[in-house]
Amino acid sequence: MPTFGHFLETLLNSYPVFFEGLWLTIRVTFVSVLIAVFIGLFFALFKISQSKILNWIANIYIAVIRGTPLIVQIFIFYFGLTEFNIPKFWAASIGLALHNGAYIAEIFRGSIQSIDKGQMEAGRSLGMSHTLAMRRIILPQAFRRALPPLGNQFIIGLKDSSLAAFIALPELFSVATTQGARTFDEMTYLLIVAVYYLVLVLIFTLLVNLLEKRLSASD
Amino acid sequence: MGDKAEMIRVEKLNKSFGDLHVLKDIDLEVNESDVVVLIGASGSGKSTLLRCMNFLEIKNSGNVIIEGETIDPKNNDLNKVRQRVGMVFQHFNLFPHKSVLDNVIEAPLTVKKMKRADAEKEGKELLAKVGLADKANVYPNKLSGGQKQRVAIARSLAMKPDIMLFDEPTSALDPELVGEVLSTMKSLAKEGMTMVVVTHEMGFAREVGDWVVYMHDGKIVEKGHPNDIFNDPKEQRTQDFLSSIL
């Protein structure tokens, strides 16, 4: 084990290399979760749709994604689809997005179905179409209810982005292993990267809590 | 009835939920400015009949004719029909994420595409009418049950419907809050609104109803003026029901 003094010194001196990895991790996470929210919303609506075909499409997608490891999915996107020449950043982002999308679809489905059916009836009785009532009445309430599990999924996505190191995307974890191998001081760099992830997650948790407080003004 | 325009006509209406035959060959007509009160034990089909009138439930057979137009759920635009037939629910179903005024102007804005300024002006007038002008910017969770239901009535009126349906509007209220909702409904009836009301409030039925319809086991047993129904019911089952609740 490194001494605390050595750890602190390395932490303070290494920030220029880590900040580049940090920035990449933040970008991959935000891009992938943003796409995942849209994917999740679509498949949630497919799942609750009256159409059996759409139900099936959603079920198959969720089953395949949940039933296979994320690292396999990322590798398939990067190595399996080389003829499309997908850049590392997008291979990782799309892989993560498709992965998180399946979980977010279930989060949205649950929160949409948890809204009292009287809300849809009230909207319809005022002359709103199903789509309009869904957009104006149901989804805003469902999104609010989905926020805590969505925040959780975001944190999972943030940490899972470290798997992009295996397709040599120079994000946070990749920086730590590279620096560790270069200096033969692996433990120090692993502890440092753990601190980076922890601080990121704590900051993000704080932001989600603030958002929840603001949105719960009407509860 | 005679010369008053026909607003709703229900002909040979049947509705089943699975094996449960809820409405059996219902015939009913509601004319302009009529207040028709549906009474009967729970499970008798009153609410289902009401919900068939704005197509929240779709009949299995028979006809629902709104203002002379036979509505076929497959061909008619139900969203258009429902703009003419407002509904007030037992559990209010206000939109909890919107302020009181936003609840009222939501449909005028998004369905009728009214300008916000116009919708807000009308919305505030409606809130004043139901005695809640001061609550425009409050969220529904800050209101009492009676206030919620009056907002729901204003929200429904904002679409300027020709007919208003009330599905047990006071059943979820504390007893001391029933009066304010009934008096709002009463003034609406006085203005000549055509109303169909499912309720257990016999006082309201007697005082405000033009017609009282007693339903039992999915059928209309008796229909008449309130005085006749309450003082001199023709059918034994109506007598039994009334003596059990009065």
Side-chain angles (χ1 to χ4, degrees):
Chain A
M1 284 289 280
T3 63
F4 185 68
H6 174 66
F7 165 75
L8 209 58
E9 196 188 335
T10 318
L11 176 69
L12 293 175
N13 289 334
S14 66
Y15 77 88
V17 278
F18 269 108
F19 270 29
E20 275 178 42
L22 178 71
W23 177 230
L24 195 53
T25 288
I26 291 174
R27 270 161 57 209
V28 169
T29 305
F30 270 94
V31 167
S32 63
V33 173
L34 194 67
I35 300 172
V37 165
F38 282 101
I39 294 175
L41 185 58
F42 267 99
F43 281 99
L45 293 173
F46 279 15
K47 242 196 129 154
I48 57 173
S49 142
Q50 305 280 347
S51 154
K52 286 267 181 296
I53 299 168
L54 293 182
N55 298 162
W56 265 101
I57 292 173
N59 285 336
I60 290 170
Y61 163 69
I62 291 169
V64 168
I65 294 295
R66 286 206 301 202
T68 53
L70 175 55
I71 188 71
V72 176
Q73 293 163 13
I74 291 175
F75 271 37
I76 287 175
F77 265 90
Y78 187 59
F79 297 111
L81 302 177
T82 42
E83 63 263 42
F84 298 112
N85 208 5
I86 298 176
K88 286 173 197 166
F89 176 84
W90 286 105
S93 295
I94 295 171
L96 277 164
L98 282 173
H99 184 80
N100 285 311
Y103 291 90
I104 290 175
E106 288 291 17
I107 290 173
F108 276 141
R109 182 191 58 81
S111 67
I112 290 169
Q113 287 178 334
S114 77
I115 304 297
D116 181 61
K117 72 177 174 46
Q119 291 290 308
M120 177 56 87
E121 289 190 344
R124 299 307 301 273
S125 78
L126 291 165
M128 301 173 97
S129 68
H130 181 89
T131 311
L132 183 62
M134 189 54 98
R135 189 161 60 77
R136 298 282 305 177
I137 308 301
I138 308 297
L139 289 181
Q141 296 182 61
F143 182 75
R144 198 168 305 185
R145 232 172 252 192
L147 208 55
L150 272 184
N152 203 31
Q153 194 60 42
F154 188 96
I155 288 169
I156 294 172
L158 172 66
K159 293 187 295 180
D160 280 351
S161 70
S162 59
L163 290 173
F166 293 98
I167 56 171
L169 187 75
E171 47 66 71
L172 259 185
F173 180 60
S174 169
V175 170
T177 52
T178 320
Q179 292 299 314
R182 194 175 59 79
T183 58
F184 299 106
D185 192 8
E186 286 91 350
M187 196 56 181
T188 306
Y189 283 99
L190 287 175
L191 288 173
I192 289 171
V193 82
V195 170
Y196 274 96
Y197 279 114
L198 184 62
V199 170
L200 262 185
V201 169
L202 289 178
I203 291 173
F204 181 73
T205 309
L206 205 73
L207 290 176
V208 171
N209 287 346
L210 283 175
L211 189 61
E212 268 179 58
K213 269 215 187 84
R214 274 196 53 186
L215 286 179
S216 66
S218 63
D219 289 338
Chain B
M1 311 185 158
D3 52 352
K4 285 200 283 184
E6 178 189 282
M7 301 299 276
I8 305 179
R9 173 186 287 278
V10 170
E11 291 175 341
K12 290 259 167 284
L13 186 76
N14 280 279
K15 173 68 185 173
S16 300
F17 296 110
D19 292 336
L20 194 65
H21 199 173
V22 183
L23 296 177
K24 301 165 186 167
D25 286 332
I26 298 282
D27 289 301
L28 183 68
E29 52 187 272
V30 180
N31 290 329
E32 194 176 3
S33 299
D34 276 356
V35 176
V36 175
V37 181
L38 304 179
I39 63 170
S42 37
S44 59
K46 321 178 287 287
S47 287
T48 306
L49 174 57
L50 199 71
R51 290 163 61 83
C52 282
M53 292 177 183
N54 75 342
F55 307 93
L56 285 181
E57 303 293 350
I58 304 295
K59 49 150 189 162
N60 293 107
S61 67
N63 287 319
V64 180
I65 301 156
I66 304 290
E67 295 177 291
E69 184 185 4
T70 305
I71 306 297
D72 179 353
K74 287 194 182 65
N75 295 327
N76 282 88
D77 183 354
L78 293 183
N79 300 326
K80 281 261 164 19
V81 176
R82 291 196 187 104
Q83 293 176 37
R84 292 185 266 148
V85 189
M87 188 168 211
V88 173
F89 298 87
Q90 179 177 359
H91 295 290
F92 331 124
N93 298 346
L94 292 182
F95 307 134
H97 59 303
K98 292 181 182 293
S99 72
V100 163
L101 183 60
D102 284 341
N103 263 273
V104 175
I105 66 175
E106 173 65 22
L109 285 181
T110 60
V111 178
K112 283 195 168 162
K113 313 264 187 230
M114 274 177 78
K115 285 199 188 110
R116 177 168 281 275
D118 298 339
E120 283 187 354
K121 187 168 165 288
E122 287 190 16
K124 283 176 182 162
E125 284 166 10
L126 281 167
L127 285 174
K129 188 173 160 178
V130 298
L132 292 170
D134 56 328
K135 300 289 185 190
N137 298 316
V138 166
Y139 279 89
N141 64 324
K142 295 281 186 289
L143 301 179
S144 73
Q147 292 171 330
K148 282 181 190 168
Q149 195 60 297
R150 287 187 282 151
V151 173
I153 292 171
R155 178 178 69 176
S156 202
L157 290 174
M159 291 301 284
K160 302 194 175 71
D162 300 329
I163 302 160
M164 285 283 282
L165 309 176
F166 293 84
D167 190 4
E168 302 202 25
T170 59
S171 296
L173 298 178
D174 291 335
E176 75 273 18
L177 302 176
V178 168
E180 60 189 72
V181 172
L182 291 183
S183 73
T184 303
M185 291 167 64
K186 206 184 296 176
S187 60
L188 206 53
K190 273 205 191 104
E191 290 169 22
M193 176 61 80
T194 307
M195 294 163 62
V196 185
V197 183
V198 171
T199 188
H200 298 290
E201 294 292 329
M202 295 304 146
F204 177 84
R206 195 190 283 263
E207 189 187 344
V208 185
D210 295 303
W211 298 92
V212 174
V213 176
Y214 172 62
M215 290 183 68
H216 179 77
D217 197 21
K219 289 183 195 139
I220 290 179
V221 176
E222 194 166 350
K223 175 185 175 185
H225 293 291
N227 268 336
D228 299 333
I229 295 277
F230 287 109
N231 300 332
D232 183 23
K234 302 279 177 292
E235 300 285 331
Q236 185 61 43
R237 275 178 300 185
T238 315
Q239 291 173 22
D240 293 345
F241 173 72
L242 290 173
S243 63
S244 73
I245 57 158
L246 291 178

